[in-house]
């Protein structure tokens, strides 16, 4: 049985989110590509589920922008790129952000992430990321490899 690592969710602000990427609101935003990667845009749909994170993903060749449609609030779990989650000692660096639906995020290259997931019944998200994300998706299997799940506290 997995142990639970609790993370207190905090409001999404530009200053707090800066180590993980950019808040998409008014003003400029810079998206990045590496190598031969190109951007791909789609809409993701997530139904509400328990805020239990058993893995994290990250991408090295393209940033990823996510914006909730219809002003739906979401929760996003992130961690800085310098950790690989090969040890439970990396868990204190995980953060959780509540996106109130008025802005989105652009995840920096290498930023670990899970979500954003709906705080209401569902969310549709505009997702702009590298077209080849399936070959640029590193996964840290927290539950499988460390016996830990992250639970976000609202």
């Amino acid at each position: 049985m997995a142990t639970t690592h609790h993370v207190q969710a905090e409001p999404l602000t530009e200053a707090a989110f800066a180590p993980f990427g950019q808040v998409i609101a008014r003003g400029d935003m810079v998206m990045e590509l590496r190598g031969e990667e190109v951007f791909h845009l789609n809409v993701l749909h997530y139904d509400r589920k328990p805020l239990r994170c058993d893995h994290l993903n990250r991408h090295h060749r393209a940033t990823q922008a996510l914006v909730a449609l219809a002003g739906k609030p979401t929760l996003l779990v992130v961690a800085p790129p310098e950790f690989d989650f090969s040890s439970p000692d990396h868990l204190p660096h995980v953060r959780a952000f509540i996106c109130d639906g008025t802005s989105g995020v652009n995840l920096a290259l290498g930023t670990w992430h899970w979500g954003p997931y709906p705080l209401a019944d569902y969310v549709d998200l505009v997702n702009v990321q590298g077209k080849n994300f399936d070959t640029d998706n590193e996964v840290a299997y927290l539950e499988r490899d460390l016996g830990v799940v992250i639970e976000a506290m609202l």
Side-chain angles (χ1 to χ4, degrees):
M1 180 169 182
T3 60
T4 302
H5 178 80
H6 292 96
V7 176
Q8 182 63 51
E10 58 191 282
L12 179 69
T13 66
E14 288 184 28
F17 195 73
F20 311 105
Q22 302 165 300
V23 172
I24 300 171
R26 296 183 188 270
D28 293 335
M29 179 197 61
V30 177
M31 296 187 72
E32 299 180 61
L33 294 172
R34 298 287 187 262
E36 300 298 316
E37 187 61 89
V38 295
F39 283 121
H40 172 76
L41 182 145
N42 64 341
V43 175
L44 304 174
H45 175 87
Y46 294 119
D47 291 319
R48 174 128 186 176
K49 65 180 190 176
L51 300 176
R52 181 183 179 276
C53 170
D54 63 355
H55 72 281
L56 296 167
N57 298 291
R58 69 176 170 177
H59 315 293
H60 300 282
R61 295 192 311 257
T63 57
Q64 183 175 7
L66 295 149
V67 179
L69 295 173
K72 297 265 188 168
T74 58
L75 178 102
L76 174 66
V77 174
V78 294
E82 58 267 21
F83 300 97
D84 64 5
F85 293 93
S86 59
S87 164
D89 296 339
H90 300 172
L91 292 168
H93 301 282
V94 173
R95 307 257 303 269
F97 290 96
I98 298 170
C99 308
D100 68 4
T102 62
S103 58
V105 296
N106 182 36
L107 299 165
L109 292 172
T111 295
W112 292 102
H113 59 283
W114 179 82
Y117 287 107
L119 296 178
D121 50 349
Y122 72 93
V123 68
D124 292 318
L125 298 155
V126 172
N127 176 49
V128 181
Q129 68 183 106
K131 181 178 182 180
N132 300 305
F133 68 89
D134 57 335
T135 61
D136 183 30
N137 187 44
E138 184 178 356
V139 182
Y141 295 99
L142 305 174
E143 185 171 22
R144 183 190 78 186
D145 297 345
L146 299 178
V148 175
V149 295
I150 296 168
E151 187 172 305
M153 310 297 293
L154 301 178

